[in-house]
Amino acid sequence: MNKLFKLLSLLLFLSISMPVLAQVNPQNLSNVRVDELSDDQVRAFMRQVESSGLGDAQLEQIAQARGMRPEEVKKLRDRVEKLKSGAKKSAANADPNKVSKNDNGRSLNYEQDSIQVEKDPETEAEKALLELRAKIFGADLFKNKNQTFEPNLNIATPKGYIIGPNDELLIDISGNSEASYELKVSPEGLIKVEFVGPIPVAGLTIEAATARIKSRLSTVYAGMRDGSTRVNVAIGSIRSIKVILTGEVKTPGTYTLPSLATVFNALYSSGGPTENGSFRAIELIRAGKKIAVLDIYEFLMKGEIATNLKLQDQDIIRIPVYQSRIELVGEVKRPGIYELKAGETYANLLNYAGGFTENAYQARVKVLKNTDTERKIADLAKEQFASYQPTTGDKYFVDRVLERFTNRVQIEGAVFRPGAYELESGMKLSQLIQKADGLKEDAFMSRGYITRLKSDNQTQIISFDVAAIISGKTLDISLQREDIISISSIFDLKEEYKVSIDGEVREPGEFNYAQNMTLEELIIQAGGFSESASPQRVEISRRVKSSDQNSEQAKTAEVFQINIEKDLNLSVPKFELQPFDIVSVRSSIGYEIQRQVKIEGEVLYPGMYTISNKNERVSDLVERAGGLTALAYTKGASLKREGATKVRGLDKNDAKAQAQLAEEEKLKLNKLKRLQETAMDSTATIKDEEVLKNVYVGINLEKILLAPKSSADLILEEGDVLRIPKELQTVKVNGEVLYPVTTSYTQGKTFKYYVSQGGGFSERSMRKRAYVIYANGSVKSTRKVFLFNNFPSIEPGAEVFVPKKELKKPVSAGEIVGISSALASMAVIILNLVK
C-alpha cells in the first residue's frame, strides 16, 4: 500500500513538474530537449524534486519509463549538478559583509555595501602618502584590509531602538493564549496583526511600540488585562539606513548600513580619515544640525565611546581637515604624528605618545620649528612641559641618555671581583684593589696598566709596579673617572701547559700540567692502567729546546724509557714530568683478548665460537660446530666479514668503539659512492651495495672440507660470520631484462635460458658486461671469446644481473658541419702538399 501511495505521488509530481520543463504531455516525455530549457526552468524542477522527498535516481527511472531518452536524462542530470556546484561556489565566495541568520534569529534584510580593499601603492607619491599615514596616530585603527565592519546583531533589542519601515517585528503571545507573528513594517509605518488590524509603529521606540501593540491586542485577548496572557515584542530582520560620509574620508560616498550601526561602524566601512583628515573633530550632522563631535583619541586613550552615537537614516558624517599636527620621535613609547587641539600642551603630546622610554634623556627636548621664511631649533626644558603649547609643524626629538658614568672606575684581570666600582672622592689604586677583594695568587706582580681618558678624549696608558703599590714602596696613584685598571695573570702571559698520555690506560687524553707532576700521577689521572697494560718500558717523549739545526743528526725529541710498578708504589723513585711531555704505555707481551666468530645455518651446533688459536681456519670452525647437516648446500656457503663490533655488540658507553664503528661506516659509504659514480646506472649497484655493506668473501667450502689447511681454507678473523644455507632452488634475474623475475633452478640450463625467463634482453642492455653473483658472494663476469660473449654458468641461488648501456649523446647538426669542415680543410692541405 505504501509503495502504491509513493507511485501515485510521483505521477502527480511529474504531471506538475514536467510542464515546467517543457509544455508536453506528462505521460509522454519523448519530445523533451534539455538543451532548450532555461536555467530558471531547471532550478524550478530542482526545487520541486527537493520538496517531493524522492531521490534523483527514482525520478530518472520514471522519466525513462515515460519515454525520455537516456541521453536527455544524462543531460538533465549534468545540468542539475552544474547548477548545484555553481550555487555552492557562489555561497563560498559570497560577500563577507552579507550577514545571514544569527543565533537569535535576527538578520539583515538587505546586502551591505562591499568594502573597497585598498590597493598596494604603485607610484612614489602613493608610497609617500602611505608612509605618512602609517605615522599618524590612530590610522592603524582603520588599516586592516581583511576587517569586516558589522554591528553586533546578537545583542538584546535595545529599548531605545527606533522602529522604521522594513524592520521585522517578532511578536510572541504566551499564557492562556499562544500565538507568534513575524511582521514587516510597511513603508507607511504599519504592521498588520491578525484579528486586530493595522498598528502604526514607525518612529516609536521598541518599548513604546510594545506598549501600543499590547494595548491593541488586549481588545482581542482578554487575558492581557489580568496578566494571564503576555506579549513580547523583539526585532527580527534589521532594516537598512543610508549614511553619507563626506570631507577628508578615505572613501567618501553614501553607505548602506544596518539601523544598529554607529559612527564607528560607518568610519570603518569608509576606511577612516585620509592623510589630511582630522581624528579629533569628526562631526555627526542630523537634519542639518551638528549633534555630536567624535574624538577618536578619547577612544584610543581612555576607551570612552560616549560620542559614538547610533546612526539614523540620512545622517551625515563629515571629517574636516586637521588644524594642528606635531611629530614626536626618539625615545618615546609611541613615536608618530599627533593631532593636538587648541590649548593642549607638550605634556598632553607626551601622554599621547605613551611617555618616555627607560633610556630617554628627560631633562631637555630638542624641537625644530617653522618660521615664515626658514626653520629654527630650540630647546624645551623639563620645567616647560606642562605649559608649553606646540604649534603645527613642530618636530620634537627625545634623545637617549649618554653611555657615560660620572663616577665609574673599572678593574679587570687577576683580582677576585673584577668589574665596575664607584669612584669615591680621593680614591687611590690600592683602595680599588682592596674593593675587588685583592689580587689572585696567579697575578703578575711586575706590571699593571691604567687606561685613562684625557681631556681631549685621547687615551693614555699608565704602567705601574703591582707589588710596589701593594707594599707601599711607591707612591699610590689617584684614580680618575672612567679609569680602567688591568692586572694580568701569569697564565695569560705564557702558553697553557699540558701533558698527554696514550696507549693502555683507561682514559687516554690530554691533561693540565702541574709543577712537580710525576709519571705515576698522570697515570692515575688517566684512570690507571688497563688490564692489558705493561708497566715495563713506559716511554716519555720530551720537547727539545736547544737543538743544533746545523747538524744532520740534530735531535727532534728526547725519549725516556721507564720501568714502574704496576701498583704505582710511592716507595719507588718518581719520574718528574715537564710541560708538553707525551707518555705512551705499551701492551703486555703475549696478552690477547678473546675474539669471537659466528657460524649459522646447516651445522649441528650453530652459534658463537671463540677463536682458540691464531691460525684457526674455516674447516676448524665447521668441525667445532659438529659438522654439516644432511641438507647443507656447500656451494652456497659464504663468509661475511663485518668487524668485531657487529658480532660482539657495542657498549653504548664505549666512546672509542662507537667512534671506530662510525669511521668504518663512513669508509664503506665513501666506497659505495665511488662505486655508484663509476657504474652505468644507479640500478646496477643494487646488489653491489648489498655486497659492499656485508663485505662477503667468496669461499669454496667443498674444496676447504676436502683439503683442510690449504690456501682456500681461510684463517678466521674476529667478527667473521660463516653461513651455510640449505639447498637453494631459485635463480634471480635482474637489471636490463624485460621483466625481472625469480625463477626455479634447472640443472644444466645456461645463462641465456634464465635471461629468457625474464623476457629476454631489453634494448638498452649491455650484454658484454653481464655478470652472475653466486650464493657464496663470489662474482663472475662475461668474457669475450673471439667475437662471442662467453656467459658465466648458473648455479642454485645465483643472481643474474644485466647492466644498462651508457646513453650516447647524438651528434648535432652543428657538430657534423664542424667535422665536415675540418676534414675538408685537411684534404685541401694534403692536396697542396702533394702538389
Side-chain angles (χ1 to χ4, degrees):
M1 191 67 183
N2 189 25
K3 290 183 178 178
L4 180 59
F5 175 76
K6 283 188 175 180
L7 181 58
L8 292 173
S9 301
L10 179 60
L11 293 174
L12 178 62
F13 163 71
L14 286 173
S15 65
I16 296 172
S17 62
M18 287 306 167
V20 176
L21 298 176
Q23 299 299 325
V24 296
N25 183 0
Q27 300 297 325
N28 182 12
L29 304 178
S30 59
N31 295 324
V32 173
R33 298 292 182 267
V34 176
D35 292 336
E36 297 174 359
L37 301 178
S38 66
D39 287 345
D40 290 336
Q41 288 176 314
V42 178
R43 288 193 187 98
F45 170 69
M46 291 165 56
R47 287 194 293 271
Q48 292 174 352
V49 168
E50 292 170 356
S51 63
S52 70
L54 298 175
D56 294 343
Q58 292 172 305
L59 294 177
E60 290 172 7
Q61 291 172 4
I62 296 298
Q64 288 180 2
R66 296 291 179 184
M68 181 178 282
R69 289 180 295 179
E71 58 268 27
E72 296 297 326
V73 173
K74 183 178 182 302
K75 288 181 181 179
L76 179 60
R77 186 192 309 119
D78 293 341
R79 287 281 298 275
V80 170
E81 290 177 355
K82 183 177 179 181
L83 290 174
K84 284 183 177 179
S85 62
K88 290 180 180 178
K89 187 174 180 181
S90 298
N93 297 330
D95 186 354
N97 297 309
K98 184 176 180 180
V99 183
S100 58
K101 281 283 184 181
N102 286 271
D103 295 338
N104 61 2
R106 185 174 300 151
S107 65
L108 299 178
N109 57 13
Y110 68 97
E111 290 190 8
Q112 287 181 274
D113 294 334
S114 60
I115 299 172
Q116 297 183 5
V117 179
E118 184 176 338
K119 297 186 297 183
D120 292 332
E122 297 179 357
T123 65
E124 292 298 326
E126 289 176 341
K127 291 179 181 178
L129 285 175
L130 187 64
E131 185 178 355
L132 172 63
R133 184 176 172 82
K135 293 181 181 180
I136 298 172
F137 180 65
D140 288 349
L141 192 62
F142 306 101
K143 77 174 184 180
N144 190 350
K145 296 180 182 180
N146 299 320
Q147 181 69 50
T148 56
F149 306 114
E150 303 172 0
N152 187 1
L153 302 182
N154 292 321
I155 61 174
T157 304
K159 292 184 178 181
Y161 179 77
I162 306 296
I163 298 173
N166 287 332
D167 276 340
E168 184 183 60
L169 297 185
L170 306 177
I171 302 175
D172 287 326
I173 301 172
S174 59
N176 292 339
S177 300
E178 292 190 358
S180 62
Y181 301 97
E182 294 183 6
L183 304 174
K184 193 171 185 179
V185 181
S186 68
E188 292 77 20
L190 305 174
I191 58 172
K192 293 182 180 180
V193 183
E194 189 178 13
F195 309 121
V196 175
I199 303 174
V201 293
L204 299 179
T205 64
I206 193 67
E207 190 173 17
T210 301
R212 178 173 292 182
I213 292 170
K214 182 177 180 181
S215 174
R216 295 291 298 274
L217 288 175
S218 62
T219 61
V220 177
Y221 297 96
M224 287 190 180
R225 299 189 185 94
D226 58 10
S228 59
T229 301
R230 295 171 298 280
V231 64
N232 180 61
V233 180
I235 296 295
S237 296
I238 303 296
R239 74 179 189 277
S240 66
I241 59 175
K242 296 288 185 180
V243 178
I244 301 171
L245 283 97
T246 184
E248 293 296 327
V249 63
K250 191 75 175 176
T251 312
T254 301
Y255 287 80
T256 302
L257 298 172
S259 56
L260 290 174
T262 64
V263 178
F264 264 119
N265 297 133
L267 289 174
Y268 288 147
S269 297
S270 65
T274 65
E275 294 77 16
N276 294 322
S278 172
F279 284 76
R280 311 286 312 267
I282 300 173
E283 301 171 353
L284 176 59
I285 301 171
R286 182 173 296 162
K289 295 181 180 180
K290 182 166 57 176
I291 64 168
V293 177
L294 180 68
D295 187 349
I296 294 178
Y297 281 22
E298 293 293 320
F299 170 72
L300 294 175
M301 300 301 298
K302 304 175 184 178
E304 294 183 0
I305 55 173
T307 54
N308 185 27
L309 302 179
K310 283 190 172 58
L311 297 172
Q312 294 185 17
D313 194 35
Q314 299 304 316
D315 277 355
I316 298 174
I317 299 174
R318 190 181 78 89
I319 303 179
V321 295
Y322 70 87
Q323 296 300 316
S324 175
R325 270 190 187 162
I326 293 92
E327 187 172 1
L328 183 57
V329 296
E331 292 300 320
V332 290
K333 294 175 182 175
R334 283 194 298 263
I337 298 174
Y338 294 87
E339 182 179 350
L340 295 186
K341 290 183 176 180
E344 288 187 320
T345 64
Y346 179 80
N348 299 119
L349 175 65
L350 190 61
N351 179 50
Y352 294 144
F356 292 114
T357 65
E358 295 77 7
N359 299 319
Y361 175 61
Q362 302 181 23
R364 187 177 291 103
V365 174
K366 292 185 177 64
V367 55
L368 291 179
K369 300 182 72 66
N370 294 328
T371 66
D372 294 338
T373 57
E374 55 190 0
R375 306 199 75 182
K376 69 176 182 179
I377 189 170
D379 289 333
L380 184 64
K382 186 175 183 179
E383 296 78 18
Q384 301 173 277
F385 288 175
S387 59
Y388 183 82
Q389 293 186 3
T391 56
T392 186
D394 286 357
K395 186 172 184 178
Y396 293 83
F397 296 86
V398 180
D399 292 331
R400 293 174 65 90
V401 293
L402 297 176
E403 289 295 328
R404 288 170 59 90
F405 292 84
T406 59
N407 60 342
R408 181 181 67 173
V409 288
Q410 299 178 70
I411 186 169
E412 58 186 26
V415 293
F416 285 103
R417 294 187 183 278
Y421 289 88
E422 177 189 2
L423 176 63
E424 299 173 352
S425 178
M427 190 176 189
K428 303 290 185 180
L429 175 58
S430 59
Q431 293 174 319
L432 177 60
I433 295 173
Q434 290 175 6
K435 272 193 171 186
D437 284 350
L439 300 171
K440 289 184 177 180
E441 295 80 0
D442 60 340
F444 182 64
M445 304 296 289
S446 300
R447 188 178 294 272
Y449 297 94
I450 300 175
T451 304
R452 177 165 292 174
L453 190 66
K454 298 168 64 177
S455 57
D456 59 356
N457 286 332
Q458 297 290 329
T459 57
Q460 68 176 135
I461 301 296
I462 303 172
S463 60
F464 60 90
D465 188 329
V466 179
I469 290 290
I470 295 298
S471 63
K473 292 181 179 179
T474 60
L475 187 63
D476 211 345
I477 302 174
S478 297
L479 298 179
Q480 297 181 11
R481 181 177 67 87
E482 297 294 354
D483 277 354
I484 301 175
I485 293 86
S486 301
I487 299 175
S488 301
S489 166
I490 56 173
F491 299 113
D492 296 336
L493 303 176
K494 65 180 181 181
E495 187 178 357
E496 188 176 6
Y497 287 167
K498 296 280 186 180
V499 289
S500 60
I501 184 169
D502 58 28
E504 299 301 323
V505 290
R506 294 181 62 243
E507 296 178 9
E510 198 173 55
F511 297 87
N512 291 324
Y513 172 78
Q515 195 170 4
N516 301 324
M517 187 178 191
T518 64
L519 175 60
E520 290 80 0
E521 290 166 349
L522 177 59
I523 293 173
I524 291 172
Q525 287 192 42
F529 289 117
S530 64
E531 182 65 28
S532 61
S534 170
Q536 309 300 316
R537 298 174 63 84
V538 176
E539 187 174 279
I540 302 98
S541 60
R542 181 168 294 167
R543 289 183 180 181
V544 176
K545 297 181 180 178
S546 57
S547 176
D548 184 4
Q549 295 300 315
N550 295 321
S551 172
E552 292 182 357
Q553 300 179 348
K555 278 192 173 185
T556 57
E558 286 187 88
V559 178
F560 304 92
Q561 290 186 345
I562 308 296
N563 297 333
I564 60 176
E565 296 293 329
K566 195 160 188 177
D567 59 0
L568 305 176
N569 197 328
L570 291 173
S571 61
V572 180
K574 303 295 185 292
F575 183 86
E576 192 170 304
L577 298 176
Q578 291 187 12
F580 313 111
D581 279 356
I582 300 174
V583 178
S584 300
V585 180
R586 311 298 182 195
S587 178
S588 297
I589 299 174
Y591 184 89
E592 292 284 348
I593 62 172
Q594 299 95 324
R595 295 178 296 157
Q596 288 191 305
V597 293
K598 185 178 183 181
I599 186 170
E600 55 187 27
E602 295 301 314
V603 291
L604 293 179
Y605 302 104
M608 301 292 298
Y609 287 85
T610 301
I611 299 175
S612 58
N613 53 65
K614 290 185 176 181
N615 66 341
E616 188 164 355
R617 298 175 182 265
V618 173
S619 59
D620 298 324
L621 179 59
V622 174
E623 184 179 353
R624 289 175 65 183
L628 305 177
T629 67
L631 298 176
Y633 178 55
T634 54
K635 287 186 177 181
S638 61
L639 181 66
K640 188 166 60 174
R641 209 148 255 185
E642 293 186 294
T645 53
K646 290 278 187 179
V647 177
R648 300 175 60 184
L650 272 179
D651 182 1
K652 291 182 179 180
N653 297 322
D654 190 348
K656 185 176 180 181
Q658 291 280 2
Q660 181 181 355
L661 177 62
E663 185 64 25
E664 290 175 0
E665 291 295 331
K666 185 178 179 181
L667 292 174
K668 287 182 182 181
L669 290 175
N670 289 338
K671 186 175 180 182
L672 176 62
K673 185 177 180 182
R674 290 195 299 272
L675 180 63
Q676 289 177 337
E677 288 173 351
T678 56
M680 295 299 173
D681 190 83
S682 59
T683 58
T685 64
I686 296 174
K687 191 65 182 178
D688 298 325
E689 180 179 352
E690 183 183 347
V691 171
L692 179 63
K693 287 183 177 179
N694 293 327
V695 195
Y696 283 99
V697 179
I699 61 172
N700 189 335
L701 188 59
E702 282 184 326
K703 186 176 180 181
I704 289 172
L705 296 180
L706 289 174
K709 312 299 182 184
S710 65
S711 59
D713 194 4
L714 300 179
I715 296 175
L716 297 174
E717 294 183 7
E718 183 175 15
D720 283 354
V721 179
L722 178 61
R723 185 175 182 275
I724 304 169
K726 291 181 181 179
E727 177 79 27
L728 301 175
Q729 298 178 332
T730 59
V731 174
K732 287 184 180 179
V733 182
N734 247 326
E736 283 302 314
V737 292
L738 295 179
Y739 187 77
V741 69
T742 299
T743 185
S744 60
Y745 171 75
T746 304
Q747 189 172 4
K749 296 297 182 182
T750 63
F751 182 95
K752 288 188 175 181
Y753 167 79
Y754 291 103
V755 172
S756 68
Q757 296 298 303
F761 293 105
S762 71
E763 293 181 355
R764 295 183 59 189
S765 63
M766 185 180 286
R767 303 185 186 191
K768 63 181 180 180
R769 295 286 298 274
Y771 57 89
V772 176
I773 304 171
Y774 295 99
N776 66 349
S778 61
V779 180
K780 284 188 179 180
S781 59
T782 301
R783 293 180 297 133
K784 274 283 186 182
V785 178
F786 297 108
L787 299 177
F788 302 99
N789 293 323
N790 184 18
F791 296 109
S793 60
I794 306 298
E795 294 180 0
E799 179 177 354
V800 175
F801 198 90
V802 181
K804 183 186 293 185
K805 284 182 181 178
E806 183 179 5
L807 291 176
K808 294 183 178 179
K809 184 180 177 182
V811 181
S812 65
E815 291 173 335
I816 293 173
V817 172
I819 294 171
S820 301
S821 301
L823 292 175
S825 300
M826 188 176 295
V828 172
I829 294 171
I830 294 171
L831 184 61
N832 290 333
L833 291 173
V834 170
K835 288 181 178 181

